[in-house]
Amino acid sequence: KFRMPTAENLVPIRLDIQFEGQRYKDAFTWNPSDPDNEVVVFAKRTVKDLKLPAAFITQIAQSIQSQLTDFRSYEGQDMYTGEKIIPIKLDLRVNHTLIKDQFLWDLNNFESDPEEFARTLCKDLGVEDPEVGPAVAFAIREQLYEIAIQSVASARESRLSKKGRRGSDHGSASKSSGLSMDLVKLFSFKSSVVRKRKDLDIYEPMVDLLTTEEVDALEAREERHAR
Amino acid sequence: MATKASDSGGSGENLPNTSSLSETTSGVTASQLTQPPSSSSEIDTIYVPSYSRWFSSTGIDECEVRSLPEFFNSRSSSKNPKFYLYLRNSIIKQYRDDHPRKISFTDVRRTLVSDVVSIRRVFDFLDSWGLINYSSSSSAKPLKWDDKEAVKSAGDAASEPPTTVKETAKRICNGCKSICSIACFVCDKRVEISEESKSKWSEKEILQLLEAVMHYGDDWKKVAPYVTGRTEKDCVSQFVKLPFGEQFVKESDSEDASEAFDQIKGSADLESGGSDKDGSSPNKRMRLTPLADASNPIMAQAAFLSALAGTKVAEAAARAAVTALSNEDYEVEINASGDPNRQEANAASGGESTRNDSERAWADAKYLIQKEEQEVEGAIKEVVEVEMKKIRDRIVHFEKLDLEMERSRKQLEEMKNLLFTDQLNIFFHTRKARKSEDRVEC
């Protein structure tokens, strides 16, 4: 059944609201089993704390609510569960910290905890900015969410195709959902568990502290991209 | 949800007993770096209100378990006490790092790895207990505590009815009694404020209230419109203040009750006239309602409060309230209400000079039992009478039948006799006829 493949069934919520020349961008995790009035409470609180105009309250609440509804619409549908070890990539900039990383994540482990991973990562890498942790957890969750949605779609496809023709199509469905098959091949008894040298750089976390000018330059580039 | 922003609307309270913790206490940090001593050239003292004395950075207190059960009920593996400690200590550390500046929820949730609603709950909890954003001139605490309770009890954060503000006033007295051992100079002021803001209840309104309660019982939504011009909350609080009403609200403020008595004495005469009957039925109905009944809002609040404050504390508060109540002049109030039933009850209790609350209650209970017995006897009598009547009717019926039988038997006898005489006649006739035949032949 559909759920986030983590210990806590939390939804990643992204907000990007523009209004009267002010732009509010945010990203955080939400627990979908919280009562819906919490959305409004949160919106009011945020607007008050950030001193945004009151019109943002409804916009924020609506955005959160619609993302929650999307998430809930997937609930109850079947997820394709198979051998699923996927690489998760991190490439984010939070204030002055730049993080690039890649690691393998087991989708079948429903006890996995992106939050704990993020906390440990920041602690181990000596990241001083406390805002990095939540961003990392959010990025992981977002990717997991994407993949979970894909697996629902592929489960539906495979069901449909099974109705038509039998057998071999099942293999193609799973192959289409990513690199998992390759990795399983990797772990066959022929090759060793130790990673190949050429992959070492990719799979190592990289933390960069940027100066203010570099931050400004990057931000300007991002804005241009967005437009 | 109102946070720290200018909530000094209530009486500018000065909690006299505040304990101060110097910033360099070692316990402040959890997993983060300790504050390097060079950064604080003057030692900032951080004030923590005395009712939050229980706080320790390495331990979890009972009231935290009670207020934030989600972390302690082991329903989810990641929401465990350790996680709660992480959240709580991070928030507190963040606040203390930037001390005089008040920390906002958004600041905190941006830096903590968790889902935002859990963060908000811990944040609100700490805020309401004065462990963050606390400055002795603000009176944010009581309002927040009440909001938190409303959230917990109703499970509905957005709907804080504006009337809770007034409820706050009353309940904080209770809260002060149980939580801080401060002499409630502050409380008195609060109570008076809330009292003055309500207008005095006229006798007519009280009558209406009692009638409405008799009709609708605990349905305050219906009672309120019946009593013209009073809100639900006013009705409830007034009803509670009425002499028989306050009996079962054990934890109500003693100061409140004394003022209520003064009020009631004035309106007593009319009450004695018109509301005797009205008084007794809600009286009885409310007595029979168990304390934990959720339909009675006051009792639910009181029950919730006592659960929140812990058993020992609630016990102490209840005892204090009871002794204070029993010290009031009860005789005057009893006579004034003029309710014959209650007088009987009190008479039955022997007109005790000891105004022991529990003995009175016991006497009332005894009286009730007697009443019930009488009713049962009456019912049995009726049943027996009905049965007797049935039997009597049947006897009458049978007698009639007997009479019918007799009549028909007599008729039968007569017919038999007639038949006999007819037979005789025929016999004589035939004999005569034969004799005459014989004479003719000779």
Side-chain angles (χ1 to χ4, degrees), chain B residues 156-395:
Chain B
D156 194 359
S159 72
E160 347 153 32
T163 54
T164 21
V165 177
K166 294 231 180 95
E167 285 281 295
T168 312
K170 268 193 251 161
R171 270 200 262 124
I172 286 313
C173 295
N174 235 0
C176 278
K177 250 187 215 124
S178 44
I179 293 177
C180 20
S181 49
I182 306 171
C184 285
F185 164 77
V186 172
C187 287
D188 276 342
K189 260 217 297 182
R190 270 191 195 271
V191 171
E192 274 169 27
I193 286 174
S194 66
E195 282 293 304
E196 277 163 12
S197 55
K198 301 187 202 135
S199 51
K200 281 208 154 196
W201 278 63
S202 72
E203 294 163 355
K204 208 164 129 201
E205 286 179 316
I206 294 182
L207 234 193
Q208 279 181 330
L209 172 66
L210 290 171
E211 280 177 13
V213 172
M214 193 183 71
H215 283 301
Y216 302 123
D218 281 334
D219 196 352
W220 297 102
K221 288 196 176 64
K222 293 202 183 112
V223 171
Y226 190 91
V227 180
T228 46
R230 293 287 176 178
T231 64
E232 255 178 73
K233 212 227 104 216
D234 277 344
C235 294
V236 170
S237 54
Q238 181 63 25
F239 183 70
V240 159
K241 283 191 206 140
L242 292 176
F244 43 79
E246 59 82 26
Q247 247 195 352
F248 9 83
V249 184
K250 288 211 169 90
E251 284 191 14
S252 66
D253 314 309
S254 56
E255 294 92 61
D256 233 357
S258 63
E259 281 166 58
F261 287 142
D262 293 330
Q263 249 188 349
I264 290 306
K265 277 178 204 160
S267 59
D269 298 328
L270 185 74
E271 247 189 281
S272 61
S275 65
D276 285 350
K277 215 177 119 221
D278 298 344
S280 60
S281 347
N283 186 14
K284 180 173 178 188
R285 192 180 306 144
M286 293 204 77
R287 270 195 217 131
L288 296 176
T289 310
L291 281 179
D293 186 356
S295 63
N296 183 349
I298 301 294
M299 270 333 289
Q301 296 283 19
F304 178 74
L305 260 182
S306 55
L308 194 66
T311 50
K312 290 197 185 131
V313 164
E315 214 184 298
R319 222 176 278 136
V322 162
T323 38
L325 281 173
S326 53
N327 287 340
E328 288 301 323
D329 191 356
Y330 239 92
E331 307 290 341
V332 181
E333 179 267 320
I334 285 172
N335 291 336
S337 79
D339 185 351
N341 289 342
R342 281 199 71 243
Q343 269 182 347
E344 212 185 287
N346 287 317
S349 71
E352 301 157 350
S353 54
T354 62
R355 294 124 191 194
N356 195 334
D357 205 26
S358 60
E359 277 196 34
R360 238 186 300 118
W362 176 76
D364 287 344
K366 217 173 151 214
Y367 167 68
L368 270 176
I369 290 174
Q370 285 174 2
K371 244 178 123 189
E372 289 288 324
E373 281 179 10
Q374 285 173 9
E375 277 178 29
V376 167
E377 278 180 31
I380 292 179
K381 243 187 264 166
E382 273 180 44
V383 168
V384 165
E385 277 184 23
V386 165
E387 292 293 319
M388 294 266 295
K389 196 160 176 291
K390 268 200 242 168
I391 292 175
R392 255 182 254 130
D393 283 346
R394 258 193 232 137
I395 290 176

Side-chain angles (χ1 to χ4, degrees), chain A residues 126-177:
Chain A
V127 174
E128 292 200 2
D129 188 353
E131 294 193 20
V132 176
V136 168
F138 178 82
I140 299 175
R141 263 194 196 275
E142 225 184 359
Q143 294 183 46
L144 290 177
Y145 186 36
E146 285 291 321
I147 295 182
I149 294 181
Q150 278 178 20
S151 77
V152 169
S154 73
R156 218 182 300 146
E157 270 178 40
S158 68
R159 225 184 312 130
L160 288 172
S161 63
K162 257 184 222 162
K163 281 192 193 153
R165 297 162 282 178
R166 309 204 172 195
S168 55
D169 286 40
H170 185 69
S172 65
S174 64
K175 217 184 270 181
S176 67
S177 55

Side-chain angles (χ1 to χ4, degrees), chain A residues 84-102:
Chain A
K84 283 276 209 129
I85 299 184
I86 47 152
I88 297 233
K89 304 191 173 79
L90 292 180
D91 185 1
L92 35 110
R93 180 188 68 79
V94 179
N95 298 340
H96 290 262
T97 316
L98 199 70
I99 291 201
K100 259 184 89 84
D101 198 0
Q102 183 175 323

Side-chain angles (χ1 to χ4, degrees), chain B residues 23-184:
Chain B
E23 201 173 47
T24 52
T25 38
S26 54
V28 167
T29 61
S31 55
Q32 319 284 354
L33 319 154
T34 51
Q35 191 79 10
S38 53
S39 72
S40 56
S41 45
E42 354 103 358
I43 302 228
D44 258 337
T45 44
I46 295 184
Y47 288 92
V48 172
S50 63
Y51 44 74
S52 299
R53 230 179 271 149
W54 47 265
F55 172 70
S56 108
S57 48
T58 45
I60 298 178
D61 186 72
E62 192 194 83
C63 68
E64 297 176 270
V65 180
R66 249 183 288 125
S67 315
L68 298 164
E70 56 184 320
F71 295 104
F72 303 101
N73 59 14
S74 57
R75 216 183 308 149
S76 67
S77 55
S78 47
K79 270 194 171 169
N80 49 30
K82 202 167 131 221
F83 180 64
Y84 167 70
L85 265 176
Y86 157 73
L87 286 180
R88 181 192 76 177
N89 291 352
S90 318
I91 296 179
I92 290 186
K93 179 176 182 297
Q94 244 188 303
Y95 167 64
R96 289 182 178 172
D97 281 347
D98 207 2
H99 167 51
R101 187 185 88 94
K102 293 206 189 236
I103 195 173
S104 82
F105 165 64
T106 307
D107 295 336
V108 163
R109 69 108 166 138
R110 282 212 166 134
T111 60
L112 287 180
V113 189
S114 161
D115 67 293
V116 292
V117 185
S118 310
I119 300 179
R120 182 189 70 77
R121 285 199 203 114
V122 180
F123 183 85
D124 285 344
F125 171 76
L126 293 175
D127 200 6
S128 62
W129 279 92
L131 289 162
I132 56 177
N133 292 343
Y134 177 68
S135 55
S136 23
S137 57
S138 83
S139 54
K141 186 262 171 191
L143 200 63
K144 285 297 315 203
W145 186 52
D146 177 58
D147 280 353
K148 247 195 59 65
E149 288 191 342
V151 167
K152 290 295 171 216
S153 56
D156 194 359
S159 72
E160 347 153 32
T163 54
T164 21
V165 177
K166 294 231 180 95
E167 285 281 295
T168 312
K170 268 193 251 161
R171 270 200 262 124
I172 286 313
C173 295
N174 235 0
C176 278
K177 250 187 215 124
S178 44
I179 293 177
C180 20
S181 49
I182 306 171
C184 285

Side-chain angles (χ1 to χ4, degrees), chain A residues 8 26 34 38 45 48, chain B residues 3 78 109 120-121 124:
Chain A
E8 290 272 325
D26 210 343
D34 278 326
E38 292 279 349
R45 220 44 191 294
K48 185 160 165 257
Chain B
T3 36
S78 47
R109 69 108 166 138
R120 182 189 70 77
R121 285 199 203 114
D124 285 344

